Amino acid sequence: KQEVTQIPAALSVPEGENLVLNCSFTDSAIYNLQWFRQDPGKGLTSLLLIQSSQREQTSGRLNASLDKSSGRSTLYIAASQPGDSATYLCAVPNDYKLSFGAGTTVTVRA
Amino acid sequence: EAGVTQFPSHSVIEKGQTVTLRCDPISGHDNLYWYRRVMGKEIKFLLHFVKESKQDESGMPNNRFLAERTGGTYSTLKVQPAELEDSGVYFCASSQVRSPRGLQFFGPGTRLTVL
């Protein structure tokens, strides 16, 4: 059974600081890994999808790395802004179901 | 193109009442998934439809939950009777191709509060 863990559960940083969010999974035989963002009262927005053959994926200020052998992914957000405040979730497919971590709630202080 | 929509966005009901949640997937997406997040926990899979057929309902918590997808279009999730522990956010997602190859697109969720 795939278990996904995210550390830390919450993070508060001043504006401009870089963010590092961690995700670990127990079964390394994953097809891909996805990072989502959830704003209060809103749905899940897909940020980055990393295929199992990739080591990293970048989109603007976001960079996600994947180390399948160690069961880890890291989401880096450069030069954080107050608008980055949200809950960030990682998820891996377990066949067709997605297994989610509990998320990291980020607060960026202006 | 419209995304996945869910209705209502928020529902507050008394324990013992019935609530029906609706999900409209992206047009043309045969695969539809229901997930839920209860307070303080991670998002958990509930069930998966391919068109109108239930492929996997292993995540459904008990027989108070009934999901349907008549005609293979929109889906409903009924909770009858609702209990306090059913409170949470219910997400619907759809994909054109079955995951993991198919990317799942999520709706905004329905926040259910059972008092």
Side-chain angles (χ1 to χ4, degrees), chain A residues 31 38 95-98 102, chain B residues 35 37 56 98 100-101 104:
Chain A
Y31 191 83
Q38 183 182 13
D95 193 6
Y96 48 82
K97 316 168 191 177
L98 289 179
Chain B
Y35 295 82
R37 183 173 192 170
D56 180 353
R98 172 175 148 151
R101 293 182 181 276
Q104 294 184 28

Side-chain angles (χ1 to χ4, degrees), chain B residues 25-101:
Chain B
I26 293 172
S27 177
H29 283 195
D30 288 338
N31 294 273
L32 187 149
Y33 315 80
W34 283 98
Y35 295 82
R36 76 170 179 177
R37 183 173 192 170
V38 296
M39 184 68 74
K41 302 283 189 180
E42 63 271 20
I43 297 171
K44 293 279 195 185
F45 168 84
L46 295 178
L47 85 158
H48 170 222
F49 282 99
V50 175
K51 295 185 180 179
E52 67 275 7
S53 299
K54 291 177 191 174
Q55 295 297 296
D56 180 353
E57 51 185 330
S58 62
M60 296 285 263
N62 51 60
N63 59 11
R64 295 185 294 101
F65 289 75
L66 175 65
E68 295 180 323
R69 192 182 182 195
T70 307
T73 54
Y74 69 91
S75 173
T76 58
L77 180 64
K78 180 190 286 188
V79 185
Q80 180 182 30
E83 297 289 344
L84 299 178
E85 64 265 25
D86 300 332
S87 295
V89 182
Y90 289 76
F91 291 101
C92 174
S94 72
S95 67
Q96 189 168 34
V97 177
R98 172 175 148 151
S99 291
R101 293 182 181 276

